[in-house]
Amino acid sequence: MFNVIPFLLLFPPFLMFNVIPFLLLFPPFLMFNVIPFLLLFTPFLMFNVIPFPLLSQQRSPGKVLFDLVCVHLNLAEGDYFGLEYQDQRKMTVWLDLLKPTLKQIRRPKNTILRFVVKFFPPDHTQLLEELTRYLFALQIKRDLACGRLICNDTSAALMVSHIIQSEIGDFDETQSWQHLLHNKYLPDQDAIRDKITDCHRKHVGQTPAESDYQLLEIARRLEMYGVRLHPAKDREGTKLSLAVAHIGVLVFQGYTKINAFNWSKVRKLSFKRKRFLIKLRADPAQSAHHDTLEFAMASRDCCKVFWKICVEYHAFFRLFEEPKPKPKPILFTRGSSFRFSGRTQKQIIDYVKDSELKKLPFERKHSKILSHSGMPPQSSSFRSQVPKEVTHTSGGRPDGHAPCPAATRPTEPLRQLLADRLQPHAAAFRQTVPQQQHAQPLGHGSVHSHPRVVINGAGDPGPSPEGRHLPPLTSPLLTDAGCVRNDDEEEARRKKFPTDKAYFIAKELLTTERTYLNDLQVITQAFHGAAGKDEAFPDSVKNLISASYDPVHRFHQDFLKEVEQRLAQWEGRSNAHIKGDYQRIGDILLKNIQGLRQLTVHLQKHSECLVELERVCRSSRKAEAVCRDFEQQRVCYLPLNIFLLRPLHRLLHYKLILERLCKHYPPTHEDFRDCRATLADISEMVLQLQGTMMKMENFQKLLELKKDLTGIDNLAIPGREFIRLGCLSKLSGKGLQQRMFFLFSDSLVYTSRGMTPSNQFKVHGQLPLYGMTIRESEEEWGVPHSFTLFGPRQSVVVAASCASEMERWVEDIRMAIDLAEQSSSPDADLLPTELSEDGGAELESEEELCGSRSSLERQGHRGNTTVHVCWHRNTSVSMVDFSVAVENQLSGNLLRKFKNSNGWQKLWVVFTNFSLFFYKSHQDDYPLASLPLLGYSVTVPAESENIHKDYVFKLHFKSHVYYFRSESEYAFERWMEVIRSATCSASRPAPSTRKELY
């Protein structure tokens, strides 16, 4: 068989087609041996003209061909895409992955399969891989060019300007004008050419990756985004179009959406001959019968094609997992056996998050090559320089195995051709492909075969847009490429460190001070700049923030310089250490803490800044939009209000560091007296500001929860205290349903995650705590870790995930009941009157639950909050845990290793807000990635894991395993201590014993 292949490849195409049926007669074991040989062909040929008969046997399903394309692209999220082609009826249909390919494609020689986007999620940030997002951007370009993505001139011009920015870079009048002359991105491009150039002027400095991101951001907001129209008529004969989207079935008149039938309202979809039927669920408020809508389509085949698409969209976006096949009937069949094949959206994100994919890094570059005036339009995009691939020695397939020749990213010529496929006139270029193929030497000849698989979008993704914040739940952790430090070099460096524990405590002061100063700059520089660009904020508010934070920022700049100089002397990087006068830190602390006391008046105004900022945002939508947009920037890696409270929290850090120093030093040590005096000063400041600090922490938490909840407007009111939030399962007529509970000092609110742009939690009901009783009810209901809440209006049965979670909830609820009994306002309601009763809201939301749970984690900025982490990790957090997390913050260098890699990567790591944030160095303005730790376990590696290094700790959650290596025993103990405070949510300690946790 191996000797036959080279000989066959020498035949001209007309002979090759006659030989192919002969090849199909070979037994399977010979057939599989042919495949590796074919994979050695150059990607230029292999990708654009895939030898169809050789890729699948006669009985192989369509999934074989589709998987080969995805593997060749190294595309982990391939389920968003599909292969479409024109059948013998000239109808565009999707390749059925379950049926044999040859049974679907009757004329293989004349069939072109197009690899295009099939499922359009509501938000492009739901796509976890950068390569997937890049392919989506290419699809949008194609939809614009062929006139499928209809929008107004302003949106069209803005999108095209981002496309041009990604291709040729910053605006240059001559260059941009020439590029538009020879490249057509819109059917009516000439009419809005001036608008396009005006928009292009505003994108100076924007990288190709940022341009693609903005392109998708604009496209997803358009009414025609991802819409594929299917002509139909209503019962009156009015011409309409039907379409399907993630939310349900849509009805268009022309290009205007006139109706939408949400999946939660649809009971059944079916077709009878040319009639497409939508059966809706009964509305209890109107009638008891089911409403049925009927649409007439061109033919039965048109009905069936659209019905299949609806079935697949519903399964992909609404189901947890791929539906199981129906059992075959014994005698008669009734209805279609068609079902959705592939992973659902929920399964995709679980796979990408849990499989620890090796992501190949790419460098996106602008294309500077312009077409000549004599060239026809569209041809220049093929000649443009497509981003080059960065070498990566440890790349691999999504499953973690070693890559085969076909499992690599496309090479440069292929990317050029794939990008050109997006152009509307790319067919003209495809006619020239056989000649190019015939001219390319392949060692033994060239391949000519049909049908062809055309990839309508490929290439390499660029880095994540710097202007957007990638949420910790979904942001990819740094790959193990680059910055791998030699172990011998690290060991040699470590031996130069002083061995005194006081040195490592002082170094912790240095590393955390660097992070603190960066956090201050978020307020004094980044936010000040954002607020100054607009007139949304009154001058009084801007002046208040500047007057309160600028002096503190200047003070800590000087303080950090002194600490850095002292540590350099202590480490021996200057001759001063020979005298022995600089192996201490107490003198610097004493001088600067006394200087900080003079800034107490500014620290006291920080709470006023928080209140004033909230007041302005509540009264001005423009100010609220400025704050919301600022929180989307990557420099604002935490909620904005947290940065406002950082100076108060920093006092606690100083106090803890000084307590450790005083405990370490003997009374006779020369540094002991300075440290003890400094500790007295800082303790006095903490005591003075403690009341304000506790009130502001509670106020800040209520403001954050208000953003995460929908249906509550009066959350942050005087007297209300936040106590605990987390997941519990609520027992209803349909069984146990996951709910997010929020416990306050006057009520208990339960919610589920909704379908809002930021996946806010929709309130289902409220349980007032006044008069409530609680009772364990495991034996009564047969549900482990369950308890019943008896209120004056209703009772609710809930279950915790484990015994410890149940104990924490019961303890906090009982404490909250006692607080409510002592309150003077027992009838305080969080919800509007029409929603405060549970029944109606619960009945409506049961149908929405499936959609919200099966949908991806939307990657908006609100998707990275502690509330969303608790929802996905099925855990809870109390206000005490938040207070402990405020005090337990740490920064420093760590070496990080993945479970299946060998090298150690040096990173600057910041622990705060229950998460690890990763930087290349402490000088970076924003983190590259992050890892929420709620639900994780921290341990020491076992002998069987072969981690033969000192000071290594292990973080693991399900299949995620990470190893971190610190530089000293002290640093190892501190990292273990602070991480355990986040991963092991402790029972409620008494306020007076909180410091004993350290």
Side-chain angles (χ1 to χ4, degrees), residues 520-530 550 553 557 630:
L520 283 177
Q521 289 173 350
V522 172
I523 299 296
T524 59
Q525 296 179 10
F527 181 69
H528 180 75
D550 288 351
H553 178 241
Q557 281 181 315
F630 178 73

Side-chain angles (χ1 to χ4, degrees), residues 194-213:
D194 292 336
K195 276 191 175 183
I196 295 173
T197 54
D198 289 342
C199 293
H200 189 195
R201 284 188 179 93
K202 302 174 183 178
H203 304 330
V204 175
Q206 191 168 278
T207 66
E210 291 173 329
S211 299
D212 288 340
Y213 190 97

